[in-house]
Amino acid sequence: MNISFLDNWRKRHGPARGVAVFGSPEPDPEGIAGLLAEAELLRGQAAQHGVRLDDSPASLEALDQLLPRWRDDPETMSWLGNDAGLYLGTVLVRTVPGACWQVWPNGHPVVRLASGREVDVVAVGHDWASAGTPELSQSYAEAAES
């Protein structure tokens, strides 16, 4: 999309990075988990390359093997980074005992592990989308050990 004022803003500030979740004062953990699991752009990109995202650690390894063609488009890279982080969080929550979504007061979603450690999965997703490191599978393995 070529919108001059938006392009000028991006030149000064870089692409948008982040996700926020806002809702009722009494959050619905299952509803939040479902919303955060969508990762529509990532799922579409993966499907185009024959990668099935089944919320398993193996699917994170498959994502790590994709050629990063999205890096040519800063807007796509930003959205894909959000999705990659949320997908990593979804895999953690669904496969690591005691892991759950935690939403900070500012609306930022993180994964809280049974140890109490919080993983900023969105930041990890952005790092992966822009530089390829850390790999999603590596981030999963480190978090799963905690």
Side-chain angles (χ1 to χ4, degrees):
M1 187 177 298
N2 191 9
I3 302 172
S4 62
F5 75 88
L6 206 53
D7 290 339
N8 290 334
W9 186 90
R10 282 191 192 117
K11 286 177 189 171
R12 286 189 309 247
H13 303 286
R17 289 181 62 127
V19 166
V21 178
F22 295 102
S24 66
E26 296 178 27
D28 169 20
E30 288 181 27
I32 290 172
L35 175 68
L36 296 176
E38 288 181 6
E40 186 176 332
L41 179 61
L42 181 69
R43 290 180 188 278
Q45 291 273 337
Q48 286 177 3
H49 294 73
V51 175
R52 184 172 167 269
L53 300 184
D54 59 0
D55 300 345
S56 71
S59 65
L60 295 171
E61 292 175 16
L63 284 173
D64 288 336
Q65 302 306 312
L66 292 179
L67 290 175
R69 293 191 173 104
W70 57 82
R71 291 189 186 138
D72 296 334
D73 181 355
E75 190 169 330
T76 299
M77 187 171 57
S78 180
W79 283 105
L80 194 68
N82 285 333
D83 278 8
L86 296 176
Y87 183 70
L88 170 61
T90 297
V91 175
L92 284 166
V93 167
R94 292 188 176 165
T95 62
V96 175
C100 64
W101 285 107
Q102 179 72 36
V103 179
W104 290 344
N106 68 357
H108 188 76
V110 296
V111 172
R112 176 169 285 170
L113 303 172
S115 66
R117 176 178 164 223
E118 290 183 343
V119 180
D120 187 350
V121 291
V122 174
V124 172
H126 277 280
D127 291 344
W128 174 82
S130 64
T133 58
E135 291 183 333
L136 297 174
S137 58
Q138 176 188 0
S139 296
Y140 172 86
E142 289 171 4
E145 289 177 5
S146 298

